[in-house]
Amino acid sequence: MTKIRGIGLLRGVVAPCLLALVATPAVARKAPPPPPEIPLAEQGLIDNVNGYTIDAHGALERFDGLLIDRTGHVVKLLHEGQARPERPDFRLNAGGRTMLPGLNDAHGHLSGLGFEALGLDLRGTTSLAQAQAALARYAAEHGTPSWIRGGGWNQEAWSLARFPTAADLDAAVKDRPVLLERVDGHALLANTAAMAAAGITAKTPDPKGGRIERDAKGNPTGLFVDAAKALIAKAAPPPLPRERETALAKAQEILLADGVTATSDMAETVEDWEALRRMGDGGRLRVRITAYADGIDALLTVAGSGPTAWLYDGHLRMVGVKLFADGALGSRGAWLKQPYADQPGTRGLQFLDDAKLRNLMSRAAMDDFQVAVHAIGDAANAQVLDAIDELSDTYKGDRRWRIEHAQIVDPADLPRFAKHGIVASMQPTHATSDHRMAAARLGTARLAGAYAWKTMLDEGVPLAFGSDYPVEDPNPFPGMADAVTREDAAGDPPGGFTPQQRITLTQALAAFTTGAAFAERAEDRIGSLAPGRLADFILLDRDPFMVDPRALRETKVMETWIGGVRAWVRK
């Protein structure tokens, strides 16, 4: 982390005038005096900016200067013609670059992003043959560890018309165990050596909430869906603590380069939390992380009887729990009200019965933990909405229930999100990545409530955007372009996928800033550059409000600042 002379050095230093005030005997008053202003000599000025932030009403506010105090908070937004301090502690001329508040990814997986970046990354492969070649090359270049791990494959992008198998992996590597996670994180592909190491046979039963893909004779093909992933993953050696820290540090580096200064880390394990604590103890945390534990046991192990305080100068806390109602659409694990159009024999996977889901949500809510539930299919979304309807009679007030993805929703259920202020935590790039697959899985008649963020806003539902990294690239600018066009980078489909769900760029920016902060119960600290908020911001190479969507996708972050300190610079 590079500190600019001034603000970084002044933290914790008490100004002489403040010392004098502290030393002066108190005088009896009817009301306490207002706090003294911090002298301008202890402020930093970022000047000559083309600044945008979202105001308290959700509107776009423009400014051209930013004052920051010695604690790393915004003092004031300066507008054209307003006077600047004559002698700030430091002054940075931004050269007219565009400034935005630091972006916030409301749904990601930190360790997954880091491990995938450090392992075999198959995102971007467009055929099975290309993936096999990448696997063979990776195995030749990495003699250790003995197990090969990776992910990012997508049979839809390969135009394979089937799921890949162990035999497909054996053709590239057969003498070492191989485990490759599907791009959505809801299926694991293993080669024959890995299945042998795990003791998987035709007699291995499907676990509840999971599925082992089998051939016509009942033999496992090598694909393990949702809860079945644990059957094969448990045989692989777990990452060493130092490997986990390396992965988390890599994830942090990727996020900073994309202008992501804060994130919700979903389904965080105890091991991840411990690694982040070690990083925090060593002063290595820069991104602000709001953690949602991977289930009730992990939640109680880490946080005990209530959300943790902000740790490490506002960089880490655990506020709630992540639960799962179903799987993913790509692996046909999303739980639907009606059978899949392209596989009528299944409706997907229901992970929890109604009583179990309500019990888990209640256990978290009773100690004021926030509850975030993964729900992709319309049946899963309806189940979670029903549970919130019932629990809200007991747990009143501002609970900020979160439904993660809210991807395929029965149109009749869409107005129910607003009833209890449920946060719709959605990922715009899923719509453009999934549009062909969604049409195949559901049929066009069932797409009216799919990826429906415009309807959510029209209904008054709090909307938070993220990427679900590493499922999608964590760069928020393609996500914003997806939100305003419903077209992918190639302009497909022309005019947009269900184009009635397009939103404005201001609304998309809000969902990646103030909306995400609200979803995390952090709107009093981050999300905007209003006075009193932390000075987390980014400087860009272009004005996103003055370019077309294709150019918006190509936006580059030039600098990332967190708490008034420069944390990353493009080289």
Side-chain angles (χ1 to χ4, degrees), residues 155-156 160-163 182 184 186-187 209-211 213 223 225-226 326-336 338-351 376-377 437 440-442:
Q155 82 281 1
E156 301 290 333
L160 198 57
R162 64 173 175 85
F163 286 122
R182 192 181 185 278
D184 58 15
H186 286 266
R211 182 178 78 248
E213 285 288 312
L223 188 74
V225 180
D226 290 314
D326 69 344
L329 200 63
S331 52
R332 296 190 185 89
W335 181 30
L336 303 179
Q338 301 296 326
Y340 278 82
D342 59 354
Q343 195 172 94
T346 183
R347 290 174 49 212
L349 297 170
Q350 177 185 3
F351 280 17
I376 287 184
M437 178 188 66
R441 296 284 190 268
L442 300 171

Side-chain angles (χ1 to χ4, degrees), residues 115-478:
F115 279 121
E116 186 166 294
L118 296 171
L120 173 60
D121 186 356
L122 295 175
R123 286 186 302 175
T125 56
T126 56
S127 69
L128 173 60
Q130 191 179 50
Q132 288 171 321
L135 172 58
R137 184 168 57 251
Y138 185 89
E141 294 172 354
H142 298 81
T144 59
S146 59
W147 284 65
I148 297 174
R149 304 291 298 259
W153 62 267
N154 184 354
Q155 82 281 1
E156 301 290 333
W158 295 346
S159 301
L160 198 57
R162 64 173 175 85
F163 286 122
T165 66
D168 293 325
L169 298 189
D170 292 345
V173 175
K174 62 186 306 182
D175 59 340
R176 295 165 63 185
V178 178
L179 290 181
L180 302 178
E181 197 160 40
R182 192 181 185 278
V183 65
D184 58 15
H186 286 266
L188 198 60
L189 181 63
N191 69 350
T192 301
M195 288 197 291
I200 302 295
T201 69
K203 295 181 180 179
T204 304
D206 289 1
K208 181 175 175 55
R211 182 178 78 248
I212 302 173
E213 285 288 312
R214 302 174 191 271
D215 62 20
K217 296 181 179 180
N219 295 311
T221 66
L223 188 74
F224 299 81
V225 180
D226 290 314
K229 295 194 309 175
L231 300 175
I232 192 84
K234 66 183 181 182
L240 296 172
R242 67 172 179 272
E243 294 171 335
R244 193 174 297 276
E245 289 178 44
T246 298
L248 289 166
K250 180 63 175 178
Q252 181 172 241
E253 176 185 324
I254 293 169
L255 294 180
L256 289 171
D258 286 334
V260 177
T261 60
T263 188
S264 293
D265 189 20
M266 287 292 169
E268 188 171 290
T269 65
V270 174
E271 292 78 13
D272 287 337
W273 175 265
E274 291 173 342
L276 289 169
R277 289 297 304 264
R278 291 192 295 272
M279 293 174 67
D281 289 343
R284 291 179 287 139
L285 284 184
R286 291 173 289 171
V287 173
R288 302 189 192 279
I289 301 164
T290 299
Y292 293 79
D294 184 17
I296 294 294
D297 289 344
L299 176 70
L300 300 181
T301 297
V302 169
S305 59
T308 71
W310 279 104
L311 306 173
Y312 310 114
D313 193 26
H315 282 80
L316 178 66
R317 66 168 177 171
M318 181 168 283
V319 72
V321 65
K322 169 78 177 296
L323 304 173
F324 289 84
D326 69 344
L329 200 63
S331 52
R332 296 190 185 89
W335 181 30
L336 303 179
K337 290 185 175 183
Q338 301 296 326
Y340 278 82
D342 59 354
Q343 195 172 94
T346 183
R347 290 174 49 212
L349 297 170
Q350 177 185 3
F351 280 17
L352 302 166
D353 62 38
D354 292 346
K356 180 69 170 178
L357 176 63
R358 285 165 168 77
N359 286 340
L360 292 173
M361 294 173 68
S362 178
R363 178 61 190 88
M366 67 189 296
D367 285 327
D368 197 35
F369 287 113
Q370 200 178 2
V371 177
V373 187
H374 165 116
I376 287 184
D378 52 7
N381 276 279
Q383 182 192 33
V384 181
L385 289 166
D386 289 344
I388 293 172
D389 275 343
E390 180 177 310
L391 293 173
S392 293
D393 290 336
T394 301
Y395 303 105
K396 301 182 184 299
D398 184 13
R399 307 303 307 192
R400 301 214 192 160
W401 310 99
R402 295 179 55 151
I403 295 184
E404 304 303 312
H405 309 304
Q407 200 162 296
I408 310 299
V409 183
D410 186 329
D413 288 329
L414 285 169
R416 301 176 64 193
F417 279 76
K419 182 179 178 182
H420 302 294
I422 298 167
V423 175
S425 172
M426 305 179 77
Q427 298 76 41
T429 301
H430 282 343
T432 54
S433 294
D434 293 356
H435 69 91
R436 290 191 184 87
M437 178 188 66
R441 296 284 190 268
L442 300 171
T444 55
R446 285 194 282 171
L447 294 177
Y451 315 88
W453 43 75
K454 173 67 161 54
T455 300
M456 293 292 189
L457 288 175
D458 289 346
E459 294 286 346
V461 176
L463 181 65
F465 274 168
S467 65
D468 198 14
Y469 63 78
V471 176
E472 305 286 0
D473 190 313
N475 187 339
F477 292 100

